[in-house]
Amino acid sequence: MIQLQSLTKRFGERVLLDAVTWQVGDGERVGLCGPNGAGKTTLLRMLAGFDEPDAGHITRPTATTVGYLPQDGLSHTGRSLVDEVSQAFGPLLDARAEISRIEHALADPALPDGEHEALLVRYHDLTEFFRQHEGHAIELRVTQVLEGLGFSKADFEKPAETFSGGWQMRIALAKLLLGRPTLLLLDEPTNHLDLDARNWLEEYLATYPYAVILVSHDRFFLDSVVTRIAEISLRTVTDYVGNYSKYLVERDTRLEQMRKAKHEQDEEIARMRAFIDRFRYQATKAAQVQSRIKMMDKIVRLEVPPERKRVHFTFPTCPKSGRTVLELQDVRKAYGGNVVFRGVNLHIERGDRIALVAPNGAGKSTLMRMLAGAEAPDAGTRREGHQVVMQYFAQDEAARLEPTKTVYQTLEAGSPVGMVPMIRNILGGFLFSGDDIDKKAGVLSGGERTRLAVARMLLTPANTLLLDEPTNHLDLDSKDVL
């Protein structure tokens, strides 16, 4: 299906991939894994044709069509939602329009016989093409995919530009799925999906007839969808057959074997070096010394991946709140004619762990904003308990970071005076060290921005946390820690 041959990619002095040979067969579903910065997105971009390798080449069959979903940065304007998504059927829509024109032309009695015959031949070819590619099912397929991804029928005629960033990514994903490229490249497709849409996408991809390569930080999604894992580490790609859970077991076994072999090699080299140093100047041992020097020169030094750095932190201590933390009484909230809540009563106590679950648009984020006091109800009351100190992590918290401030300045700006000495420790716990703290927030990856936003929460000791999608863009290890 697609093959990498001796492919090398570097950024400055940093080599991401070094003479990698790898291939993906038709119908395979491959999960790309590896630590942040290993080159997963870079590899997808090269497969999609947006970036070029520094050496080597990528071979694709001539009939290959490629569809690529980036992490962010897509927008759609100028059409309704349904018209925008229907662009995936460009050739079929063109054929349908031409069929209609030919039908009108054939109805003209003044049409010369020669043209009439030529139009009949063209009409036959077009209708056969339309039938073979299921052109009559366009509307049905569009509806199934849009509803599967969480759009309602009421959304279909809305202008595409009225949808927010997360929904823009769903529009792009819908177009890709409907276009059915023979190589589908997805970079974190579940980041903007709720549970229902994610489950629908799992089922859709599990039966996708062509090759899929995806990056995801959702282990359950990977377990359900992929047939093998390709790990990017030590400038190469290593394949593991099976899903993500099987990969974890096999990877740990392989790492243990590599560490053992490296330890034995280091011991053998140390023994040879000690012999050489001890007998270098003894004429009777000269031949043995030279033999060992030659042996050392021929040894290919084993390389072991470094231990993965994991986020580590502790929540700063805060005085306990009273038993009652938050209460809503007879709360109503509406946006125009859309009544989101009516007569809501909610009681939250110290120690509660509550998950808000509902379809998109049901009001989860609205409820979170009202609980946080960021938005007032139209009617009813909100009451905080005794000594409640709250931290609210909004769904777009990472996007709210000031792009011109450095990582350090981002934390420093909102820090209580007493916490300033702790900033470097907190940043280190969230894997920002050395020169990283001087990076501008605007150049950070999605995962780095989320880590920084979560780190900023730890500057103020709190006894109540309201978290709206705090794991978006976080890697698997960081999700586990959080």
Side-chain angles (χ1 to χ4, degrees), residues 135-330:
H136 297 291
I138 288 176
E139 286 76 14
L140 175 64
R141 289 161 67 184
V142 166
T143 299
Q144 287 174 337
V145 169
L146 285 179
E147 290 185 345
L149 290 175
F151 293 95
S152 68
K153 282 275 179 62
D155 292 328
F156 283 20
E157 297 304 324
K158 289 181 181 176
E161 59 268 25
T162 61
F163 292 92
S164 64
W167 290 95
Q168 291 288 340
M169 299 308 292
R170 294 194 197 204
I171 295 172
L173 179 57
K175 289 174 70 174
L176 281 181
L177 298 180
L178 289 166
R180 290 201 167 190
T182 56
L183 178 62
L184 184 58
L185 307 171
L186 305 175
D187 198 350
E188 298 197 34
T190 60
N191 267 354
H192 303 287
L193 301 182
D194 61 11
L195 285 169
D196 288 341
R198 194 204 70 178
N199 293 340
W200 178 87
L201 183 61
E202 275 181 14
E203 293 178 9
Y204 190 96
L205 292 180
T207 58
Y208 193 73
Y210 306 112
V212 179
I213 304 176
L214 62 90
V215 175
S216 177
H217 292 149
D218 185 331
R219 66 172 57 209
F220 304 106
F221 184 77
L222 287 171
D223 272 348
S224 298
V225 171
V226 303
T227 53
R228 72 170 155 120
I229 295 289
E231 182 189 57
I232 302 180
S233 179
L234 295 178
R235 304 171 301 284
T236 192
V237 178
T238 306
D239 280 317
Y240 295 83
V241 176
N243 63 15
Y244 185 80
S245 294
K246 189 175 179 185
Y247 149 74
L248 286 179
V249 175
E250 291 188 7
R251 183 199 67 184
D252 290 346
T253 302
R254 178 171 170 268
L255 281 175
E256 189 58 39
Q257 292 170 345
M258 289 172 70
R259 291 189 184 108
K260 183 180 178 183
K262 178 77 164 67
H263 179 69
E264 291 172 353
Q265 185 185 68
D266 289 346
E267 285 187 335
E268 181 62 23
I269 290 171
R271 281 194 294 271
M272 286 192 277
R273 186 169 284 126
F275 184 92
I276 292 166
D277 292 342
R278 183 177 178 187
F279 298 112
R280 185 184 294 274
Y281 303 109
Q282 292 188 22
T284 56
K285 300 281 189 179
Q288 290 168 283
V289 168
Q290 287 303 312
S291 172
R292 281 168 172 75
I293 289 173
K294 288 177 183 177
M295 285 171 64
M296 281 186 60
D297 288 342
K298 289 178 182 177
I299 291 175
V300 177
R301 302 297 176 99
L302 297 175
E303 196 174 0
V304 178
E307 292 283 349
R308 282 198 188 181
K309 291 182 178 178
R310 287 169 65 93
V311 166
H312 61 90
F313 64 90
T314 54
F315 288 105
T317 56
C318 181
K320 275 186 177 181
S321 69
R323 180 173 174 179
T324 295
V325 172
L326 280 169
E327 277 190 325
L328 298 181
Q329 292 182 323
D330 292 323

Side-chain angles (χ1 to χ4, degrees), residues 118-138:
L119 283 177
L120 279 175
V121 172
R122 178 64 178 160
Y123 185 78
H124 173 270
D125 292 343
L126 286 170
T127 53
E128 187 62 19
F129 169 79
F130 198 71
R131 182 189 65 79
Q132 287 180 351
H133 291 84
E134 300 177 4
H136 297 291
I138 288 176

Side-chain angles (χ1 to χ4, degrees), residues 75-88:
S75 62
H76 306 84
T77 59
R79 297 186 183 95
S80 68
L81 169 64
V82 73
D83 286 344
E84 182 63 47
V85 171
S86 297
Q87 295 304 303

Side-chain angles (χ1 to χ4, degrees), residues 326 333 335 365-377 382 384 390 392-394 397 400 466:
L326 280 169
K333 186 67 184 179
Y335 297 98
S365 293
T366 299
L367 181 57
M368 290 289 267
R369 288 194 297 272
M370 287 196 295
L371 288 171
E375 191 167 332
R382 168 191 178 273
E384 274 187 25
M390 190 180 301
Y392 169 50
F393 186 96
E397 195 72 31
R400 294 183 186 184
L466 299 172

